[in-house]
Amino acid sequence: MSEQGDVRTDEPRPALKRKDNRAWWLVLPVVVSVAFTAVIPLMTVVNFSVQDVFSPVDRVFVGLEWFRSISRDPEVRAALVRTLLFSAQVLLLEIPLGVALAVVMPRRGVWVSVALVLVALPLLIPWNVVGTIWQIFARGDIGLGGWTINNVLGVNFNYTLDSTDAWITVLLMDVWHWTPLVALLAYAGLRSIPEPYFQAAQIDAASAWATFRHIQLPRLRGVLTIAVLLRFMDSFMIYTEPFVVTGGGPGNATSFLSILLSKIAVGQFDVGPAAAFSLLYFLLVQILCYVFFTVLTRSGR
């Protein structure tokens, strides 16, 4: 016993447990793969973005000149506005249509599997094939959709000459292709709602709209947040489908940021401006991803 009454013990303190870092060896192949497939190409693009490349051995350092040129280019700004407008229209159409389709889909019985397969079919078609399908479908001479609009409805529809027709064709094509994704996500959210909620609604004689508004829609908030984020990001980076159907035309009516970048990099082979454009595009996507991640995490609290 000490003077303060404390009891001294001679038991040794347990040794600190050493951390086992061998698991990092399992991550090493992924790190090496990312370095060769992402980091090194990104650094190459950064190198080109600050140079004026005349040949593989002849280049001049220009600093941030290409970044200033791209940011002030009115064609790039117009493409950005078109891309944002297209993404907004996609969300306004696909989210309500997907939710409505999920609500009317059967929840039990043999028709559940049939409905899920039929709804998911457009998602299984490759993007370039979707563009080819709609390129033929919307033609006024041989396409069923274009011929019906011209001859049955009496509307002069030609997506190769009219910018509005081209925009509508690309928009409807995206709605047809990706609304099933929203429907499947919403359907999964609806199936997760416990059955007692619906039984209580029946006891209270709630209408179908009241059941949807007060039971189904609040439970779909998390699923719809994911659907909105996925569809916005995918529509913001859309390239293959409009490129196959319209090539960005007529004029620049359907020339989104991705198509304009492809024209600069491949069509004109302006390596420096294309590299600066791609980095600004990449930075914009990263900012949007950060905003989306913040919104998603806050909505999940």
Side-chain angles (χ1 to χ4, degrees):
M1 298 287 295
S2 61
E3 295 180 358
Q4 290 79 11
D6 296 335
V7 179
R8 294 182 179 179
T9 59
D10 296 332
E11 297 181 359
R13 295 181 178 180
L16 295 177
K17 188 176 181 180
R18 297 183 59 183
K19 294 183 178 180
D20 189 358
N21 295 322
R22 289 178 296 178
W24 286 102
W25 290 101
L26 300 176
V27 186
L28 184 60
V30 178
V31 175
V32 174
S33 176
V34 170
F36 280 97
T37 60
V39 177
I40 294 179
L42 180 61
M43 293 299 102
T44 304
V45 173
V46 172
N47 183 37
F48 285 148
S49 66
V50 294
Q51 300 185 64
D52 192 358
V53 181
F54 300 100
S55 68
V57 295
D58 188 9
R59 58 187 68 181
V60 178
F61 180 78
V62 296
L64 300 178
E65 179 63 28
W66 296 132
F67 291 93
R68 287 191 291 265
S69 176
I70 291 297
S71 60
R72 298 172 183 173
D73 191 345
E75 189 174 2
V76 175
R77 294 181 179 179
L80 175 60
V81 172
R82 283 191 294 270
T83 306
L84 292 174
L85 179 61
F86 178 78
S87 298
Q89 292 177 349
V90 162
L91 294 180
L92 290 176
L93 290 174
E94 295 183 8
I95 299 302
L97 287 177
V99 173
L101 183 59
V103 170
V104 300
M105 288 174 61
R107 298 183 183 177
R108 58 180 60 89
V110 67
W111 292 107
V112 173
S113 301
V114 176
L116 290 176
V117 171
L118 292 178
V119 170
L121 278 179
L123 299 176
L124 304 178
I125 304 176
W127 296 338
N128 57 338
V129 178
V130 171
T132 304
I133 291 174
W134 277 81
Q135 184 184 40
I136 299 174
F137 177 77
R139 287 185 55 174
D141 51 353
I142 62 174
L144 179 60
W147 184 90
T148 302
I149 294 175
N150 290 333
N151 295 275
V152 177
L153 301 180
V155 179
N156 186 15
F157 181 84
N158 191 338
Y159 70 87
T160 61
L161 298 178
D162 189 271
S163 58
T164 302
D165 294 344
W167 184 276
I168 294 175
T169 302
V170 175
L171 183 61
L172 291 179
M173 175 181 58
D174 193 87
V175 170
W176 174 82
H177 191 195
W178 291 109
T179 298
L181 175 63
V182 181
L184 293 177
L185 290 174
Y187 184 76
L190 292 175
R191 291 295 300 269
S192 65
I193 301 176
E195 193 63 29
Y197 284 86
F198 298 101
Q199 296 174 356
Q202 291 179 354
I203 295 175
D204 294 336
S207 62
W209 169 249
T211 302
F212 173 76
R213 180 181 177 183
H214 297 288
I215 296 178
Q216 294 175 318
L217 189 58
R219 291 281 177 169
L220 290 177
R221 182 176 301 174
V223 174
L224 291 182
T225 301
I226 298 175
V228 169
L229 301 185
L230 289 176
R231 288 308 306 129
F232 181 83
M233 291 306 302
D234 189 69
S235 61
F236 189 78
M237 298 183 293
I238 189 172
Y239 171 77
T240 305
E241 298 98 319
F243 181 79
V244 173
V245 177
T246 64
N252 292 324
T254 56
S255 181
F256 304 116
L257 285 175
S258 56
I259 295 180
L260 182 60
L261 175 58
S262 176
K263 289 180 179 179
I264 296 175
V266 180
Q268 304 173 10
F269 200 70
D270 291 335
V271 179
F277 191 170
S278 62
L279 288 177
L280 292 175
Y281 199 2
F282 174 76
L283 179 61
L284 181 59
V285 171
Q286 293 300 312
I287 293 175
L288 292 175
C289 286
Y290 174 76
V291 174
F292 293 158
F293 177 77
T294 303
V295 173
L296 181 60
T297 53
R298 288 182 178 179
S299 63
R301 292 177 182 176

